[in-house]
Amino acid sequence: MSTHHRVIIIGSGPAGLTAAIYAARANLAPFVIEGEPSSTSDQPGGQLMLTTDVENFPGFPEGIMGPELMMRFRDQAARFGATFLTGKATKVEFGEKPLKVHVRDEIFTADSVIISTGAQSLMLGLEAEERLIGRGLSTCATCDGFFFRGKEIAVVGGGDSAIEEASFLTKFASKVTLIHRRDSFRASKIMQDRALSNPKIEMLWNTAVTEIVGKDQLESISLKNTVTGEESSMAVAGLFIAIGHRPNTDVFKGVIDMEDSGYLITRPDSTYTNIEGVFACGDVKDHVYRQAITAAGSGCMAAIDTERWLEQQH
Ligand code: NAP
């Protein structure tokens, strides 16, 4: 049944659920369209559902499992009156009021909308990726580097992210092999120099990862030389995939101002988009920090911006 809401929140990662907690406590009864459980990009709870231990979220000195943390966010939002719909926004109509959000053949209307659909790490598309993420396979050095103290690990990619991750990981790992499919970096010169002069980083040029091996824990990777075709195997305790990110913004194309890379544009130091009454927070607008805590912070900002904007309308 289609319903009208003061605020609809699209996405239920740390940004969306923090926005839901704040909006609920402001008596706005937020309606959260939380995503599709079967999807690896828009799953309820966001990217933390794909991780295991989270040790950098303040307030959990012993660490907490990513899915449990998100369940706690959700319970907290529900306690104050947020309601949830499991599903994915398939179309939005923001040309006139009320704002409309379609979830397949249902249309929900709202006075305001908070977009927190997040981003996804690009993956190699290998069979074991989903099974081993958080079990030796990672897409976030800041989050998981600590688990690889004294171990030999590898990073895939040739852009700034890959070099930044590889350099950061040398603080923990005994050796970092940077695997790139070509023989030159895409990264900026200063970052390249940083990687090439780091004694703990070893380059493996012209190499593709063709298989990730391990049942419950990553054990090794299969490699193929992209020039000679030669195949080999490498034992690694950890593999970090750093080949870029993609914001989940397909549904907003042509509706909300976005960068060429698809990240939504918000007014500086706020969560206002170019559409009146539509706000954006979290990784869908942040390609710099990408942390659960920064996403949560911007979710709080979005709820406060929304509450104040709604007040001004009446
Ligand atoms: P990126 O610049 O798009 O680089 C992606 C890298 O991954 C490329 O080297 C690419 O190889 C490789 N790659 C892509 N798909 C692959 C696949 N399927 N298999 C193997 N390798 C694959 O992405 P990014 O490094 O995440 O950077 C994104 C943006 O953020 C850039 O503008 C970057 O400058 C910026 N950034 C800046 C900083 C900083 O300044 N500190 C840090 C991080 C990111 P090819 O080169 O062969 O295409």
Side-chain angles (χ1 to χ4, degrees), residues 122-125 156-164 179-182 184-188 191 194 207-209 242-245 287 290:
L122 296 179
M123 301 300 279
L124 297 171
V156 189
D160 283 325
S161 293
I163 293 188
E164 195 168 68
I179 303 169
H180 183 32
R181 62 185 177 184
R182 292 187 296 123
S184 63
F185 283 122
R186 176 178 298 275
S188 52
M191 298 289 276
R194 197 171 297 168
T207 304
V209 177
I243 61 173
H245 289 82
H287 49 75
R290 297 194 196 112

Side-chain angles (χ1 to χ4, degrees), residues 81-302:
T83 53
F84 296 85
L85 175 78
T86 303
K88 195 173 158 176
T90 45
K91 182 181 168 188
V92 293
E93 290 179 80
F94 293 161
E96 56 184 39
K97 299 288 182 290
L99 304 163
K100 293 192 186 70
V101 180
H102 297 237
V103 178
R104 284 184 230 97
D105 48 3
E106 283 184 290
I107 303 174
F108 300 92
T109 58
D111 299 329
S112 61
V113 170
I114 295 175
I115 298 170
S116 49
T117 45
Q120 49 186 303
S121 298
L122 296 179
M123 301 300 279
L124 297 171
L126 299 174
E127 181 264 326
E129 278 174 344
E130 221 164 295
R131 186 175 76 246
L132 293 178
I133 195 97
R135 297 183 161 80
L137 183 66
S138 172
T139 55
C140 177
T142 317
C143 319
D144 299 331
F146 193 78
F147 301 121
F148 298 95
R149 195 172 282 276
K151 305 217 165 122
E152 297 201 358
I153 60 175
V155 175
V156 189
D160 283 325
S161 293
I163 293 188
E164 195 168 68
E165 304 257 296
S167 304
F168 177 78
L169 288 165
T170 59
K171 290 185 193 171
F172 309 101
S174 54
K175 178 181 162 194
V176 178
T177 305
L178 185 49
I179 303 169
H180 183 32
R181 62 185 177 184
R182 292 187 296 123
D183 65 355
S184 63
F185 283 122
R186 176 178 298 275
S188 52
K189 183 76 176 64
I190 188 166
M191 298 289 276
Q192 299 189 23
D193 293 346
R194 197 171 297 168
L196 296 172
S197 64
N198 189 322
K200 274 190 170 181
I201 298 179
E202 186 172 298
M203 281 307 307
L204 204 51
W205 300 107
N206 294 321
T207 304
V209 177
T210 52
E211 199 185 347
I212 299 170
V213 183
K215 192 160 171 275
D216 302 319
Q217 190 66 32
L218 173 69
E219 288 164 12
S220 66
I221 49 178
S222 304
L223 304 169
K224 186 172 186 176
N225 187 299
T226 53
V227 178
T228 64
E230 191 187 337
E231 296 184 3
S232 59
S233 171
M234 180 193 280
V236 282
L239 179 69
F240 287 78
I241 299 179
I243 61 173
H245 289 82
R246 200 171 88 85
N248 299 317
T249 51
D250 287 353
V251 75
F252 308 112
K253 279 200 176 114
V255 180
I256 307 241
D257 284 352
M258 55 179 76
E259 295 172 16
D260 291 344
S261 53
Y263 285 91
L264 298 188
I265 296 172
T266 50
R267 271 192 234 157
D269 300 323
S270 85
T271 61
Y272 282 76
T273 67
N274 61 308
I275 309 269
E276 278 284 298
V278 179
F279 303 83
C281 55
D283 284 14
V284 75
K285 55 150 268 181
D286 170 21
H287 49 75
V288 179
Y289 300 104
R290 297 194 196 112
Q291 300 300 303
I293 187 71
T294 49
S298 86
C300 162
M301 289 167 65

